[in-house]
Amino acid sequence: MGFSIIVHGGAGKIEAASAPSRIAGCRAAAETGYAVLERNGSALDAVQAAVVALENNPLFNAGTGSTLNREGKVENDAAIMDGATLRAGAVAAVSGVRNPVKLARKIMEAGPHILLAGEGAHGFAREHDVELCDPAELVVAAQRAHWEKEHGTVGAAALDAHGHLAAATSTGGVFDKLPGRVGDTPLLGCGTYANEYAAVSCTGLGEDIMRVTLARHAAYLVEQGAEASSAAREAIAYCSGKTRGEAGLILVDRDGGLGFARNSVNMPVCAMADDARVVLEI
Ligand code: ASP
């Protein structure tokens, strides 16, 4: 059985000067996830490892390097979903957690809930030994200076050698958002979705992605027989047709087919498959 992984570093316009480091960050994250798959690891562990790598990279709007809300604070959203079992975990508007995707995974493992928000999510992290940090540590100087120019939500989707799919997404949200604002990322079927047909991670304006339940829409197209790359393109075209929102998505299907599409100027992507395919896009 083949395996593959695809990661994205967020829809938006990327300044030429930062393009090489962003694509290198995506590549490093894809390689981290790929190494998990190569060791016969699960798609779930692979997408988590890839997203943690991107959360720890200050260039991206997730974990360290997250964008600031109207009060100058970081509030994170993240989700992870196992396509084989439909189990999922998610956090919304949580502060002071170094790797929100790890907290999402803990919530998934603990059950019975899927999505915890704000103080409740932070309390759960404390009780379950998820690494906490001073919220100020997630703010990097570049974000303080000017965030609105470039985005950088991160996500990963993978198929493992056991034929299981998984997806994960993590973000600081949108610049200048109101405290408590929750985007598409932690909402299953909106920013993140995985089932037995496809794993999908989205990026772009969350309010518009939610309106069309973009991730589930793309997975449904695959379920109906669409090939991975046309499902990705068709889903983005649908989103563009229904909303004016900027959006992008990555997708893996159960045969290891890889798809990605965007209506934004840029979206760094790195995909790796065990047949030696490597795709890099900015
Ligand atoms: N989708 C994210 C949100 O709306 C932002 C992004 O992808 O850039 O929170």
Side-chain angles (χ1 to χ4, degrees), residues 11 23 35 87 102 107 109 130 139 150 186 188 193 201 204 207 219 226 234 240 257 282:
I23 198 70
R87 290 198 307 154
K102 288 189 184 171
I107 292 167
E109 303 292 354
V130 175
V139 180
E150 295 181 0
L188 302 187
Y193 194 70
S201 171
E207 281 70 8
E234 220 182 291
S240 304
I282 188 81

Side-chain angles (χ1 to χ4, degrees), residues 5 7 18 30 32 57-59 61 68 78 109 132 153 174 203 206 214 217-218 229 233 249 252 261 278:
I5 184 163
V7 308
S18 75
T32 302
N57 185 331
L59 276 180
N61 172 23
L68 306 179
E109 303 292 354
L132 301 173
T153 290
V174 291
T203 171
L214 185 58
H217 185 77
S229 55
R233 281 196 304 272
L249 67 83
V252 181
V278 177

Side-chain angles (χ1 to χ4, degrees), residues 11-226:
K13 186 174 178 336
I14 291 177
E15 304 274 312
S18 75
S21 43
R22 276 171 194 266
I23 198 70
C26 283
R27 182 163 193 153
E31 283 170 352
T32 302
Y34 190 84
V36 174
L37 298 172
E38 238 176 357
R39 292 194 300 269
N40 218 15
S42 69
L44 206 56
D45 286 341
V47 294
Q48 178 172 327
V51 168
V52 165
L54 290 161
E55 286 179 338
N56 290 342
N57 185 331
L59 276 180
F60 297 96
N61 172 23
T64 303
S66 290
T67 193
L68 306 179
N69 70 14
R70 194 161 292 180
E71 292 178 345
K73 295 187 178 135
V74 167
E75 286 187 345
N76 290 106
D77 296 343
I80 189 162
M81 185 163 187
D82 179 16
T85 60
L86 300 184
R87 290 198 307 154
V91 289
V94 71
S95 296
V97 173
R98 190 170 304 282
N99 291 109
V101 75
K102 288 189 184 171
L103 176 54
R105 177 75 181 267
K106 282 272 182 185
I107 292 167
M108 175 186 130
E109 303 292 354
H113 303 310
I114 288 180
L115 173 60
L116 294 180
E119 273 309 307
H122 192 268
F124 182 96
R126 263 197 317 269
E127 282 164 25
H128 289 78
D129 293 328
V130 175
E131 188 184 356
L132 301 173
C133 62
D134 180 339
E137 284 179 45
L138 303 179
V139 180
V140 298
Q143 287 292 356
R144 277 232 176 276
H146 69 102
W147 206 86
E148 65 272 44
K149 279 202 185 142
E150 295 181 0
H151 304 286
T153 290
V154 305
L159 170 75
D160 64 30
H162 313 281
H164 296 158
L165 291 155
T169 316
S170 183
T171 186
V174 291
F175 178 70
D176 201 35
K177 65 186 183 180
L178 285 175
R181 179 266 188 188
V182 175
D184 59 300
T185 298
L187 305 182
L188 302 187
C190 296
T192 310
Y193 194 70
N195 62 13
E196 72 269 49
Y197 296 98
V200 188
S201 171
C202 302
T203 171
L205 188 59
E207 281 70 8
D208 284 329
I209 292 171
M210 287 182 221
R211 283 183 231 281
V212 297
T213 56
L214 185 58
R216 176 70 182 123
H217 185 77
Y220 189 68
L221 293 173
V222 173
E223 190 172 337
Q224 294 301 298

